[in-house]
Amino acid sequence: MWIGCSDSRVPANEITATDPGEIFVHRNIANMVVHTDMSMLSVLDYAVNVLEVPHVVLCGHYGCGGIRASMGQKQFGLIDNWIRHIKDAYTLHHRELETIRDPEERENRFTEFNVIEQVYNLSQTSIIQNVGLHGHSPHVHGWDTISRQD
């Protein structure tokens, strides 16, 4: 299973060198795992409990607009509610992030921290927590990738 960003520059099949149908995919802005997101949870539940996938990959990418938007103070509308979760992750790591002077380097490091936080959130879902009780526990992976620049 793949949890990735909605950004079309980071297609799961291309990054994993798989054909359509070989990987189960869920995408949202900034590859978030939010415990109230019933769409993501439904996809995860189906992948883990029905398809019994052996791996769940959470993939972030450098140059993510959701990450960039969460680092600023500008308001965007409805998406502000979504990126609020990313802003919370920034708060957890703000001491290290604020020591990075180069804005691109700070954004890249925050992208990495976001993957770490989302992998943690993924591992804390009741779906992943409970599947081990049934003898099948997928490996959870966090990846960062460079998006294609066209």
Side-chain angles (χ1 to χ4, degrees):
M1 180 185 170
W2 174 275
I3 299 173
C5 186
S6 299
D7 191 319
S8 63
R9 296 173 295 171
V10 286
N13 292 88
E14 189 172 304
I15 292 169
T16 59
T18 55
D19 290 324
E22 287 188 89
I23 190 166
F24 204 60
V25 176
H26 177 79
R27 295 170 68 157
N28 62 48
I29 294 170
N31 45 274
M32 299 294 293
V33 175
V34 178
H35 292 273
T36 56
D37 179 356
M38 294 307 291
S39 176
M40 186 280 304
L41 292 171
S42 297
V43 172
L44 179 63
D45 184 57
Y46 188 79
V48 169
N49 290 313
V50 176
L51 299 177
E52 296 184 354
V53 297
H55 300 277
V56 179
V57 174
L58 186 128
C59 186
H61 69 100
Y62 301 111
C64 179
I67 294 292
R68 188 170 298 131
S70 72
M71 294 177 74
Q73 300 304 316
K74 184 178 177 184
Q75 292 189 343
F76 297 95
L78 184 60
I79 191 174
D80 294 328
N81 296 293
W82 187 257
I83 65 174
R84 174 75 257 157
H85 299 284
I86 309 170
K87 286 180 179 275
D88 291 343
Y90 190 96
T91 301
L92 291 173
H93 301 283
H94 78 278
R95 285 193 178 134
E96 179 180 335
L97 291 167
E98 293 302 320
T99 66
I100 303 171
R101 297 289 169 227
D102 179 80
E104 185 177 348
E105 188 179 326
R106 182 182 315 121
E107 181 182 307
N108 288 345
R109 183 66 176 134
F110 183 42
T111 297
E112 295 163 359
F113 278 135
N114 187 54
V115 168
I116 292 166
E117 293 303 320
Q118 300 319 311
V119 166
Y120 175 78
N121 289 344
L122 178 60
S123 70
Q124 296 304 303
T125 62
S126 59
I127 296 159
I128 296 296
Q129 291 285 309
N130 292 335
V131 74
L133 301 174
H134 306 292
H136 165 71
S137 188
H139 298 277
V140 176
H141 308 273
W143 291 1
D144 288 314
T145 187
I146 299 171
S147 60
R148 291 183 305 153
Q149 301 298 317
D150 295 323

